[in-house]
Amino acid sequence: MNFKVIGTGSYVPDNVVTNDDLSKLVDTNDEWISKRVGIKERRISQTDTTLDMGTKASFAALENAGLKGTDIDLIVTATISGDTACPSTACMIQNRIGADCMAFDVSAACAGFLFAVETAMGYICRGKAKRVLIVCAERMSKLLDWTDRGTCVIFGDGAAAAVLEATEEGLYESVFNVKGGDDVLKIPATNGSSPFYQLESESPYLFMNGQETFKFAVNSITHDIAAVLENAGIAKENIAHVVPHQANKRIIDFAQKKTGIDLDKWYVNIDRYGNVSGASIPIALDEMNRSGVLKKGDKILLAAFGGGLASGALVFEW
Ligand code: UT7
């Protein structure tokens, strides 16, 4: 059993924040961000919550698929920036789109879309779900220390969704790797204010050791791509499109050279959105879908890495 994507949608806030805008907040400049990361601008929410963005992306994907909320059998949302720990973002999206189905969140940071698809495949293969809505929504701006130039220039806000439909045809292969630990990348959750705790206070914001994350990223993306192609028995020449996580253009360039997959097959939009964590890959897929570059039967390779540390790659057929 496999799936085909029958609809995609995305939503990003209207508010465009350029590198020059950020240079007024922290000691940075357009040249450094453009050269070292490849970002020119990102969208930063002013009023949209994570749920608002996820809901708008979901409606767009449903419309693209020609479906209503009640046609969906399962909603899997990948987010690390949900507005509430309970209800889950997926439960609230179920409420907002008028669905009547199982719904839950997965937490896998930048690799969230891939972990959500893999989870959905379990339901599809067991015949428990025919149509699954995958939603990735991230309001990264609320997790950042806006005085830390090493992280606040990198991320952006946004959401994207895809509707998967079970099919006997097609192709699906995946690999996942988790190297659990919080020394390289960490986003603390609130400790609350219990009068009984005897914990040291820590920064509530995203912490990232950039260079260690960079090393994990380049190692995992090259390893995962090679492994998934081998497991699927597909030659790299037969891949039509590679959609990598958009964390740093230098990571993408490195992976392109190392894997030898033609440069023109790699989709890059980090210049316009920055790193939108788990939403980066489905935003790219939605752009590709709507611009008409995806053709039936195209073999698409996705590869992502990030907090966990967690990484993965998967191939499927359009
Ligand atoms: O999505 C999750 C996965 N995330 C990633 O994959 C991110 C991986 N890491 C990276 O992309 C890069 O490590 C960063 C973009 C985060 C940082 O780039 P880098 O080339 O590794 O820079 P660095 O941390 O080694 O810092 C080099 C210099 C330092 O200055 P000195 O000590 O050499 O004087 C930093 O203070 O660049 C400085 N710097 C900046 N300068 C201007 C760091 N951030 C900035 C900034 N503007 N925003």
Side-chain angles (χ1 to χ4, degrees):
M1 207 67 184
N2 292 308
F3 68 82
K4 64 181 171 194
V5 177
I6 59 168
T8 62
S10 60
Y11 173 82
V12 290
D14 292 336
N15 182 36
V16 176
V17 176
T18 64
N19 295 341
D20 286 339
D21 293 332
L22 289 180
S23 71
K24 291 171 196 139
L25 288 179
V26 288
D27 180 14
T28 191
N29 54 73
D30 177 55
E31 193 193 354
W32 191 94
I33 302 172
S34 303
K35 274 198 182 143
R36 302 299 295 171
V37 202
I39 301 172
K40 297 302 283 183
E41 59 188 41
R42 72 288 290 142
R43 304 299 180 96
I44 300 293
S45 163
Q46 290 172 301
T47 54
D48 285 305
T49 64
T50 300
L51 175 60
D52 291 336
M53 294 188 283
T55 303
K56 287 171 187 170
S58 297
F59 274 124
L62 287 173
E63 188 183 12
N64 190 238
L67 298 177
K68 307 184 293 295
T70 46
D71 297 320
I72 298 296
D73 307 315
L74 170 68
I75 300 168
V76 186
T77 296
T79 185
I80 51 168
S81 56
D83 310 316
T84 48
C86 169
S88 69
T89 303
C91 286
M92 287 308 296
I93 287 174
Q94 189 241 36
N95 170 302
R96 293 268 178 104
I97 67 170
D100 179 24
C101 63
M102 175 80 155
F104 57 87
D105 288 0
V106 298
S107 174
C110 302
F113 184 72
L114 279 67
F115 277 69
V117 170
E118 179 80 355
T119 305
M121 273 298 280
Y123 283 75
I124 287 171
C125 291
R126 288 172 63 218
K128 299 280 277 183
K130 189 160 184 280
R131 293 188 186 120
V132 184
L133 177 67
I134 310 273
V135 192
C136 295
E138 297 293 13
R139 193 180 180 187
M140 295 304 291
S141 56
K142 74 173 183 175
L143 305 175
L144 302 173
D145 175 354
W146 284 91
T147 65
D148 174 15
R149 68 176 182 174
T151 52
C152 76
V153 306
I154 294 168
F155 295 94
D157 297 334
V163 183
L164 314 188
E165 187 173 73
T167 168
E168 297 283 351
E169 301 154 16
L171 155 81
Y172 182 76
E173 188 58 69
S174 60
V175 296
F176 290 90
N177 284 296
V178 171
K179 190 168 170 272
D182 64 1
D183 50 330
V184 174
L185 226 174
K186 180 179 180 181
I187 306 170
T190 174
N191 267 333
S193 57
S194 164
F196 302 102
Y197 284 167
Q198 297 182 349
L199 301 170
E200 281 178 33
S201 64
E202 63 175 342
S203 162
Y205 302 115
L206 181 147
F207 161 81
M208 182 172 76
N209 179 329
Q211 290 190 359
E212 287 304 315
T213 312
F214 195 97
K215 278 185 219 158
F216 172 74
V218 294
N219 287 335
S220 62
I221 191 170
T222 49
H223 167 274
D224 292 348
I225 286 177
V228 81
L229 290 180
E230 188 181 337
N231 293 355
I234 298 173
K236 63 185 179 204
E237 291 73 22
N238 293 329
I239 293 294
H241 304 280
V242 186
V243 189
H245 175 46
Q246 311 281 313
N248 189 320
K249 178 67 168 53
R250 287 189 292 135
I251 295 173
I252 297 173
D253 292 343
F254 185 90
Q256 187 275 321
K257 286 195 186 82
K258 196 91 176 154
T259 58
I261 301 174
D262 291 347
L263 183 62
D264 59 357
K265 294 182 176 178
W266 295 69
Y267 194 81
V268 178
N269 63 9
I270 188 174
D271 51 322
R272 288 176 286 129
Y273 302 119
N275 178 348
V276 198
S277 186
S280 280
I281 285 180
I283 288 174
L285 272 180
D286 185 47
E287 287 189 337
M288 295 165 82
N289 180 25
R290 286 169 193 266
S291 68
V293 301
L294 302 176
K295 305 283 176 251
K296 187 171 163 40
D298 276 356
K299 292 181 176 53
I300 300 175
L301 170 54
L302 313 182
F305 45 81
L309 298 168
S311 74
L314 63 83
V315 279
F316 70 100
E317 215 165 81
W318 192 255

